[in-house]
DNA sequence: CCCCCTAATTCCACTTAGTGGAAATGAAGG
DNA sequence: CCTTCATTTCCACTAAGTGGAATTAGGGGG
């Protein structure tokens, strides 16, 4: 009857695979282990189904079983695949080294991110610190799209229809302060259109600027620069913005000739 | 009839989910995009099945579609999940900072890895360089288990039955020099049992030592230290080994009290 | 030490969701 | 414009997957 399509109120696709992926997603940063019960709760799937799917994920090497606590944790395979994603990314390959150099030269944080649903996820985030030992690089960390310069630059870079979809999702997500927030987001988007970048101070004493990178055949990325322990000032923002615009121009040049 | 078990000559599990994961695994480092045809070749799955599963993976956010070349690439979600794995790992959480400090103090590379099938995958690899700008950290990179100090330390740390399974796999994999290689592997394992570490010079002018970390309720890990641009010498190897043993002891202390 | 209680796993009848060969569609090139 | 290769859609078939119920396995008390 059904032709591998449109199962109970869904879109095309393979239900078991979708559910298996949902289970993997249930492991968020900070969550170490999850038992089948907790997974069932978080995903809304029947317990017996979860039991079978986690078994499959263990066999496929995506989950490790912790027999003692009857629980599972993400296995090493997931970072292998993550690594394949990063090394496969043409953008990161081309400009990763430039980002490091720029971070060292300007003494600030430089990041490259793209969207995962309604979050921005860093492909690379180079954290500058005066002490060399504290400098570090993070990949995979998520920050909220609507609250960050990265996310707003991304929104400015994507197709309008998609942007409006996402804005609706934010509205549904945060009950309070929605109106002001959305206005803020739109201001940032205009700022990108006018100046090439937007500045947001999402976290206290951190000033961040970001700009979109739009390339044919690739998802939209956003590039950012940020400084910790500073007072937010318009002058500083426009200085950072100028650095960012110059750097982004250099990146786009390199990427265009790939 | 079939109760979600033992489909055509397989073990228990969900076939579609297994296949979907296989598709994700087909994207190895260096492979940027893959079309459905190539995926079908690499995985041995029927083309129509691949077509449906890739669509599902796109809907689930694990793959990005590149319409222009009718191909797919791994999406940002996979590094989100990879990041969740790393932050969820109690071992990396506890000793990551210590590893950085040790790398800076001893001026050498420090790595933590575990197994993904027959490969070792780095949870963290801290690459020391005299120039601060060149120091970097990699996660997810794979190295062959049977050829590296990391892999051999891991083999020394796991249950004997599992070890013998893996050794058989290596035999099947590399046709040439198998006998000598396996003897080498066993020598390394004895070396771990006797000295606490093993030394291997897998890549030219790189000397590496590694030791297993075995903890209740966690997969076996391996910790390594390595130096580039050195001549292999027994004296240097035992010096590195001593550093490693001291460091591993400190790590185990921290991990025991978690 | 045994028994209860909770949670995970297995069982099983049901039937839909998935399958893969064949047809259709679509892109690239002569 | 027509051919060729590749990818996607179609569709009849049925095995694979489902989820509620029964069962088993842990893990605290009593």
């Amino acid at each position: 009857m059904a032709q591998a399509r449109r199962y109970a109120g869904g879109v095309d696709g393979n239900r078991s695979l979708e559910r298996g992926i949902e289970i993997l997603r249930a492991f968020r940063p900070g969550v170490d282990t999850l038992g089948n019960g907790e997974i069932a709760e978080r995903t809304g799937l029947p317990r017996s189904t979860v039991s079978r799917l986690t078994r499959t994920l263990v066999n496929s090497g995506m989950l490790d079983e912790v027999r003692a606590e009857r629980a599972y944790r993400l296995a090493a395979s997931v970072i292998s695949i993550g690594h394949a994603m990063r090394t496969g990314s043409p953008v990161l390959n081309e400009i990763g080294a430039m980002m490091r150099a720029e971070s060292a030269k300007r003494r600030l944080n430089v990041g490259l991110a793209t969207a995962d649903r309604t979050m921005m996820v860093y492909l690379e985030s180079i954290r500058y610190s005066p002490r060399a030992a504290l400098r570090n690089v993070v990949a995979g960390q998520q920050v909220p799209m609507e609250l960050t310069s990265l996310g707003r630059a991304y929104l400015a870079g994507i197709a309008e229809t998609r942007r409006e979809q996402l804005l609706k999702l934010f509205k549904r997500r945060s009950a309070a302060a929605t109106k002001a927030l959305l206005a803020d987001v739109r201001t940032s988007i205009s700022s990108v259109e006018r100046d090439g970048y937007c500045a947001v101070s999402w976290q206290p004493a951190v000033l961040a600027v970001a700009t979109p990178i739009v390339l044919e055949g690739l998802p939209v990325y956003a590039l950012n620069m940020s400084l910790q322990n500073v007072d937010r000032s318009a002058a500083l923002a426009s200085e950072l913005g100028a650095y960012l615009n110059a750097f982004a121009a250099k990146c786009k040049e390199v990427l265009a000739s790939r």
Side-chain angles (χ1 to χ4, degrees), chain A residues 158-171:
Chain A
I158 59 178
E160 195 177 337
T161 51
R162 179 71 186 136
R163 174 160 65 227
E164 295 305 322
Q165 282 174 2
L166 284 164
L167 290 173
K168 262 176 210 151
L169 287 177
F170 303 144
K171 209 180 291 182

Side-chain angles (χ1 to χ4, degrees), chain A residues 82-141:
Chain A
H83 184 248
M85 187 271 165
R86 275 168 41 87
T87 59
S89 162
V91 175
L92 186 58
N93 274 327
E94 296 289 340
I95 72 172
M98 289 167 65
M99 287 170 61
R100 281 159 209 276
E102 190 74 9
S103 168
K105 177 177 157 199
R106 302 283 191 198
R107 298 167 181 269
L108 38 70
N109 310 317
V110 177
L112 177 70
T114 188
D116 180 9
R117 300 175 166 198
T118 62
M119 301 290 275
M120 296 302 290
V121 45
Y122 279 104
L123 269 77
E124 186 123 336
S125 169
I126 299 150
R127 308 280 172 77
Y128 180 83
S129 157
R131 272 187 285 174
L134 293 181
R135 290 181 203 170
N136 71 336
V137 178
V138 176
Q141 203 195 330

